[in-house]
Amino acid sequence: MEKAMATFDKGTLCSAWNHSSSRLATASSDGTLVIFDSPHPSSSSTSLTRTSNFKAHEAAITKIVWVPPEYGDSVACICSDGTSSLWEEVVEDAQPLEWKLCKLFKSNSSQILDLQFGNSSSGLKMIAAFSDGYIKVYELMDPLDLKSWQLQAEFQNVIDSISTVRKSSCSSASISWNPHRGEQQSSFVLAFSSNTPQLNSAKVWEFDQAHQRWLPVAELTLTAEKGDEVYAVAWAQNIGRPYEVIAVATQRGIAIWRLGLSPDTDGRLSTERVALLSGHNGEVWEMEWDMGGMTLASTGKDGMVRLWQSNLNGVWHQHAAFEPTS
């Protein structure tokens, strides 16, 4: 018989597991952040324990992102007022553990739509996408101090670096960091849903160490679909493949892309769309790969969770679909 692991508060808008799936963070429309802990391995209980509950913002929290575990137990919150904050669990003077605000990120002219953390050879980086189509890259200057962030770069999500898109309005953004955690060049994929076609398509950005700048190395779209709004992107783990796999969700469905590993003479990586998956009735909200990069989970406006896999012949298909019970 199914049994609920936890009961969420009324008005809960989002949730996120930490990297080991041992802690769950939820956030509500009133700005409350709640932390649940998994039971001890020796316990027979399967229920999560609510260990923290506090008011993090006056505005609604729309997304939670855990910081990589090397930097302690910390979460970033994106709020409906366009700000984001970074909270860290700390202990001071033999007092009980508590969550404290480390950093508040504000923007005067635009809202933060999405952010993700990624490890690189130089340390922890945070990628943030804004409603004006700009991307900001922050770098943590001191790994022991989550307050010490510095803006490293700022650019728009366009292939042609010479042109600048003005007066753009983006309703959502999606970022997925290359999961290789600094083993290769730092890179991520990012896309927008906006009124500006040049910004929308999913583009892979890579850090050019020689010139200390971020460069677009691939665009994951077909020529006839370049203006399509993108709802979500997800970069798969790569265990032994001679190419990367990235999922991109648009109104046409979920596209599965192969990304080459060796750049051409212009520094660009080869791309190939190997599948276009349909099944969701409406917009896709979130996508997530399993740890092996073999199964893709997606959910969307239709309330369904769908699992996608490729068979031995490389043909992608829906493996399972279910509707979570309330």
Side-chain angles (χ1 to χ4, degrees):
M1 181 177 178
E2 295 181 357
K3 182 181 179 182
M5 296 179 63
T7 301
F8 294 168
D9 294 336
K10 184 179 180 180
T12 297
L13 297 178
C14 56
S15 63
W17 289 97
N18 70 349
H19 293 262
S20 62
S21 298
S22 60
R23 311 191 82 180
L24 178 67
T26 68
S28 305
S29 56
D30 64 356
T32 299
L33 187 63
V34 180
I35 307 296
F36 294 89
D37 284 359
S38 297
H40 191 274
S42 62
S43 172
S44 58
S45 173
T46 59
S47 299
L48 300 175
T49 302
R50 183 182 299 224
T51 55
S52 295
N53 187 329
F54 60 94
K55 184 85 167 179
H57 284 274
E58 292 301 322
I61 300 173
T62 57
K63 185 167 186 176
I64 307 168
V65 182
W66 285 86
V67 177
E70 300 94 310
Y71 302 90
D73 284 312
S74 309
V75 296
C77 301
I78 300 177
C79 300
S80 60
D81 62 2
T83 63
S84 68
S85 60
L86 191 60
W87 294 82
E88 181 182 20
E89 189 178 48
V90 297
V91 58
E92 294 180 348
D93 302 325
Q95 297 296 316
L97 287 170
E98 62 177 333
W99 289 82
K100 289 200 169 185
L101 178 65
C102 291
K103 185 77 173 178
L104 183 64
F105 296 90
K106 292 183 178 181
S107 177
N108 296 328
S109 59
S110 59
Q111 295 186 328
I112 298 176
L113 300 177
D114 193 17
L115 65 83
Q116 290 293 333
F117 297 96
N119 278 312
S120 69
S121 56
S122 61
L124 183 65
K125 286 183 169 60
M126 184 181 79
I127 314 295
F130 291 78
S131 58
D132 58 2
Y134 275 88
I135 306 162
K136 292 184 180 180
V137 182
Y138 297 88
E139 187 170 13
L140 185 64
M141 305 309 294
D142 182 352
L144 300 178
D145 182 11
L146 288 177
K147 298 177 182 178
S148 61
W149 292 91
Q150 179 174 299
L151 181 63
Q152 181 203 48
E154 182 176 1
F155 48 90
Q156 285 189 312
N157 192 43
V158 293
I159 288 291
D160 182 5
S161 60
I162 299 176
S163 62
T164 301
V165 178
R166 297 182 179 180
K167 296 183 180 179
S168 177
S169 177
C170 306
S171 58
S172 67
S174 182
I175 309 168
S176 186
W177 189 267
N178 183 340
H180 290 298
R181 304 171 64 82
E183 296 173 12
Q184 301 175 348
Q185 294 270 80
S186 300
S187 55
F188 62 90
V189 59
L190 184 146
F192 284 101
S193 176
S194 78
N195 63 353
T196 308
Q198 303 97 298
L199 296 175
N200 289 338
S201 60
K203 301 173 184 72
V204 177
W205 292 86
E206 188 172 280
F207 188 66
D208 180 3
Q209 195 71 38
H211 299 91
Q212 292 293 295
R213 61 178 180 173
W214 290 88
L215 297 174
V217 294
E219 186 174 18
L220 306 180
T221 184
L222 301 181
T223 302
E225 303 173 5
K226 280 194 174 184
D228 289 358
E229 298 180 30
V230 177
Y231 305 134
V233 295
W235 195 315
Q237 287 278 1
N238 188 348
I239 303 179
R241 282 192 298 255
Y243 52 84
E244 301 289 347
V245 174
I246 300 175
V248 179
T250 69
Q251 62 183 5
R252 301 174 191 269
I254 299 174
I256 305 297
W257 288 86
R258 288 183 180 179
L259 179 69
L261 301 180
S262 301
D264 60 20
T265 55
D266 295 328
R268 299 294 173 87
L269 300 176
S270 63
T271 61
E272 179 188 5
R273 192 173 80 177
V274 296
L276 182 62
L277 310 173
S278 59
H280 281 288
N281 182 19
E283 183 177 326
V284 174
W285 288 345
E286 293 282 344
M287 297 189 297
E288 192 79 27
W289 291 94
D290 69 343
M291 294 181 65
M294 302 298 290
T295 301
L296 176 69
S298 62
T299 186
K301 191 175 181 180
D302 60 2
M304 297 293 293
V305 176
R306 301 181 188 275
L307 303 181
W308 311 89
Q309 289 182 342
S310 170
N311 62 22
L312 295 177
N313 296 320
V315 178
W316 285 85
H317 62 282
Q318 182 175 286
H319 175 70
F322 58 93
E323 185 174 9
T325 57
S326 58

